[in-house]
Amino acid sequence: MIREILKMGDPRLLRIAKSVEDIHDPALEPIIADMYDTMHAAGGVGLAAPQIGVDLRLMIFGFDTNPRYPEAPPVPATTLINPWLEILGDEREEGWEGCLSVPGLRGLVPRASRIRYGGLLEDGSLVTREVEGFHARVFQHEFDHLNGVLYPQRITDMTSFGFIEALASESDHA
Ligand code: NI
């Protein structure tokens, strides 16, 4: 079922989400299914549970190709429960981000270039990955949602934040 995506300004997006206590809770499966329906309907590359008003540390992301990020390499479809993040090294890079909770806008956001992350998959198994570039960016963006942080708070140069149609020529070359 496609759910309403909360928009920036909604206080529910600012909460520190709660850990999932019971991975086998039957309530999780329909929430995850709704998250995929909602993400696909909106054409997004990721979605965190707080964005549909669910106060849990739960995120999904992944795509083969996506018109919002035409030059991005594929990221495997992943559901993560109670994820964790470790930043590897000091390297940072800037890249364009949008967010389904901040419709119509884009910004140039500095992120760690290389990270290790992990969490529980839907079947309860543990996964750990070392990733870089856009995959690392997508994870960091979704992970931020679980801590009540939206990408505009990460922007350091506000001249690179604006409406997609106004930024189009610039972001096409990013
Ligand atoms: Ni987002």
Side-chain angles (χ1 to χ4, degrees):
M1 184 176 72
I2 297 169
R3 304 270 289 259
E4 183 194 355
I5 298 174
L6 305 184
K7 293 195 179 70
M8 184 169 67
D10 191 307
R12 289 172 288 179
L13 289 170
L14 302 177
R15 296 185 292 203
I16 309 286
K18 297 186 176 72
S19 294
V20 174
E21 300 289 347
D22 177 9
I23 171 103
H24 301 296
D25 185 340
L28 280 182
E29 196 179 316
I31 292 170
I32 293 167
D34 284 357
M35 287 172 68
Y36 275 100
D37 288 348
T38 304
M39 180 179 81
H40 289 142
V45 298
L47 191 75
Q51 291 181 274
I52 59 165
V54 173
D55 188 24
L56 289 175
R57 303 189 77 78
L58 171 59
M59 62 157 82
I60 64 170
F61 54 87
F63 61 93
D64 291 324
T65 62
N66 186 285
R68 287 165 64 89
Y69 302 95
E71 285 165 32
V75 173
T78 304
T79 304
L80 281 182
I81 299 163
N82 298 340
W84 52 265
L85 165 65
E86 180 187 351
I87 288 169
L88 302 176
D90 297 328
E91 199 185 327
R92 301 290 181 272
E93 60 189 48
E94 293 201 312
W96 289 96
E97 292 183 24
C99 179
L100 298 177
S101 293
V102 191
L105 292 158
R106 281 252 165 144
L108 202 51
V109 184
R111 299 280 187 190
S113 302
R114 290 179 55 241
I115 63 169
R116 184 180 293 130
Y117 72 77
L120 291 167
L121 300 174
E122 267 185 276
D123 64 4
S125 62
L126 276 165
V127 66
T128 302
R129 291 180 184 150
E130 244 181 73
V131 301
E132 58 185 15
F134 193 73
H135 188 157
R137 175 172 299 280
V138 169
F139 178 89
Q140 290 172 84
H141 178 115
E142 300 310 330
F143 191 75
D144 267 353
H145 276 298
L146 305 184
N147 294 323
V149 174
L150 299 173
Y151 82 84
Q153 293 165 253
R154 298 282 188 194
I155 296 174
T156 51
D157 176 2
M158 292 301 285
T159 66
S160 298
F161 178 47
F163 289 92
I164 290 166
E165 65 270 24
L167 290 164
S169 56
E170 194 179 352
S171 54
D172 279 351
H173 299 291

